[in-house]
Amino acid sequence: MNLPAEHPLVAGLTDQSRLVRAYRGERTDTVPVWFMRQAGRSLPEYRELRVATRMLDACLDPVLAAEITLQPVRRHGVDAGIFFSDIVVPLRLAGVDVDIVPGQGPVFRRAYGDAAGVAELTAIDPSMLDAAFAPITEAVRRTVAELNSLDNGSGTATPLIGFAGAPFTLAAYLAAGGPSKDHLEARALMHADPGAWAALMWWTAQVTGRFLGAQVLAGASAAQLFDSWAGSLSVADYERHTAPASRQALSFVHELGYEIAGVRRSVPIVHFGTGTGELLGAMREVGADVIGVDHRVPLDVAAGRVGAGVPLQGNLDPALLSAPVTVMDAAVRDVLARGTAAPGHVFNLGHGVPPGTDPAVLTRIVTVVHEDAAA
Ligand code: 1CP
């Protein structure tokens, strides 16, 4: 299926942006930069907007979600917006009883870590979501309308990145009924009842893949799949029990292409997880174009693990955001230097911005990255 003519990639607004070019493996005038969790509690303007609204209600309010997405782009001059939402939003829209509890994260009415729980979920037909995504589609449209005229110094519009949780990471929450340390409930179900596990993987892949596809169709110029907790799996379990579902989720983006100057293009897909040093090659195999690397593996080492020709995203340790400026600047330059080992590099943190971060530090990093000669 082709993206519509007004999509920013098709209209030529973001196809040549630093972000999209780096995701295609091209070197750009400067390395593009954005931050995971750039929208959120590090920004006073976010805290002010969110005062009276629960997290998931904010995600489903198109005006609020668009405004929160735009705040860090305006403030820091980053090369991309990431859509303000959460990985559990499509579950809520499917009718699953989930809330995001401040200081804790997603909490479900019940845990779904057994055959009965899985049966309850899979009774919901994922195709019902296409209509339920109206607030998401509307929020993306509003965001993109402003990003299209926001040039942060690259001479193009600013692209929006859509995102979703990978089936395993969603299952880690569903099986435990909330955040868990080693994701034991999900990993136990995988082995105790492979049939129920396969059904759960199929259902979450459908739900989360549709969520990602809807954001791209509505105007996102790239997509990121967060398999944040995949690092708790062995390579064998990852490949056997979760990779097929991640591949299935990404098929909802793969089917959306476009043609520009007679050349067929696809929408770039980034795949990220934490503690995934052993899995980097396997995570590429599920159909990702770019691998997001956490701070545990230096980018030049990661480049060797994912194979030649794969662009990388990452990977400043978030702990450095509170270090003295000279220490932080040196670490930023080290990340940039190691990133030259990949054909394309998008600067980011190794995981999300910690809530207490001084936003001026993030703005400073954007300047240091954009001024670095190594690009
Ligand atoms: O700016 C951005 O990056 C966009 C916003 C965003 C993203 C990409 C939010 C808003 N959530 C996410 C994805 C997400 N949600 C992931 C994958 C990314 C990652 O690894 O950090 C995960 C694992 C979640 C689940 C989740 N939601 C947690 C983690 C809980 C745990 O297990 O430790 C939490 C704390 C949330 C709530 C949440 N989501 C987003 C925000 C701003 C918040 C905090 C809500 C608040 O203000 O209280």
Side-chain angles (χ1 to χ4, degrees), residues 13 40 71 93-94 98 102 114 120 124 130 150 264 270 279 337 367:
L13 296 166
Q71 285 175 343
L93 291 173
V98 56
D114 56 18
E120 192 178 306
I124 304 170
D130 295 342
L150 215 160
R264 181 85 190 155
V270 187
L279 300 180
T367 308

Side-chain angles (χ1 to χ4, degrees), residues 42-56:
S42 68
L43 298 186
E45 58 269 36
Y46 168 82
R47 293 196 296 267
E48 200 178 301
L49 266 190
R50 274 284 321 280
V51 152
T53 316
R54 290 192 75 78
M55 173 65 192
L56 283 178

Side-chain angles (χ1 to χ4, degrees), residues 37-39 46 50 55 82 85-86 163 173 226 228 351:
R37 293 280 172 101
Q38 64 189 17
Y46 168 82
R50 274 284 321 280
M55 173 65 192
I82 174 134
S85 195
D86 193 81
F163 78 91
Y173 289 102
F226 281 96
S228 301
H351 201 182

Side-chain angles (χ1 to χ4, degrees), residues 34-41 46 50 55 59 68 72 82-88 100-106 163-165 169 173 178-180 183 224 226-229 272 274 351-352:
W34 67 277
F35 304 104
M36 290 186 275
R37 293 280 172 101
Q38 64 189 17
R41 282 170 297 171
Y46 168 82
R50 274 284 321 280
M55 173 65 192
C59 294
I68 293 173
I82 174 134
F83 183 51
F84 180 77
S85 195
D86 193 81
I87 58 170
V88 299
I100 290 183
V101 177
Q104 211 179 333
F163 78 91
T169 288
Y173 289 102
S180 61
H183 322 302
Q224 176 153 326
F226 281 96
D227 209 348
S228 301
W229 312 137
F272 169 80
T274 63
H351 201 182

Side-chain angles (χ1 to χ4, degrees), residues 75-333:
R75 179 193 267 260
H76 302 307
V78 281
D79 291 281
I82 174 134
F83 183 51
F84 180 77
S85 195
D86 193 81
I87 58 170
V88 299
V89 163
L91 298 173
R92 160 71 79 92
L93 291 173
V96 176
D97 191 344
V98 56
D99 192 19
I100 290 183
V101 177
Q104 211 179 333
V107 175
F108 293 81
R109 181 181 55 82
R110 61 163 289 178
Y112 296 91
D114 56 18
V118 173
E120 192 178 306
L121 291 175
T122 54
I124 304 170
D125 177 359
S127 67
M128 61 74 79
L129 277 166
D130 295 342
F133 285 145
I136 302 303
T137 304
E138 168 70 10
V140 169
R141 289 213 179 101
R142 281 175 177 270
T143 308
V144 167
E146 180 159 339
L147 287 178
N148 279 347
S149 52
L150 215 160
D151 171 2
N152 277 338
S154 71
T156 71
T158 303
L160 177 70
I161 302 167
F163 78 91
F168 175 74
T169 288
L170 283 174
Y173 289 102
L174 286 165
S180 61
K181 196 162 160 282
D182 300 316
H183 322 302
L184 192 66
E185 293 83 354
R187 293 187 297 112
L189 179 66
M190 177 186 292
H191 299 291
D193 191 341
W197 177 257
L200 180 62
M201 285 291 97
W202 176 85
W203 188 81
T204 51
Q206 286 289 321
V207 166
T208 208
R210 282 166 197 268
F211 179 54
L212 197 56
Q215 294 168 60
V216 170
L217 200 55
S221 293
Q224 176 153 326
L225 191 70
F226 281 96
D227 209 348
S228 301
W229 312 137
S232 64
L233 295 168
S234 67
V235 177
D237 283 344
Y238 177 81
E239 287 182 335
R240 177 151 178 227
H241 294 292
T242 76
S246 295
R247 188 175 292 115
Q248 191 192 337
L250 292 179
S251 70
F252 287 90
V253 177
H254 284 143
E255 70 185 26
L256 302 171
Y258 63 107
E259 214 168 274
I260 205 158
V263 182
R264 181 85 190 155
R265 291 205 192 279
S266 56
V267 178
I269 296 173
V270 187
H271 199 182
F272 169 80
T274 63
T276 49
E278 299 291 329
L279 300 180
L280 293 174
M283 287 176 67
R284 150 97 170 134
E285 295 295 310
V286 304
D289 304 295
V290 181
I291 293 299
V293 184
D294 82 355
H295 48 277
R296 293 169 183 86
V297 183
L299 290 182
D300 50 332
V301 176
R305 292 189 188 172
V306 295
V310 181
L312 296 178
Q313 177 171 281
N315 71 346
L316 183 74
D317 187 344
L320 278 149
L321 298 177
S322 54
V325 157
T326 48
V327 175
M328 194 186 69
D329 284 2
V332 169
R333 294 205 172 91

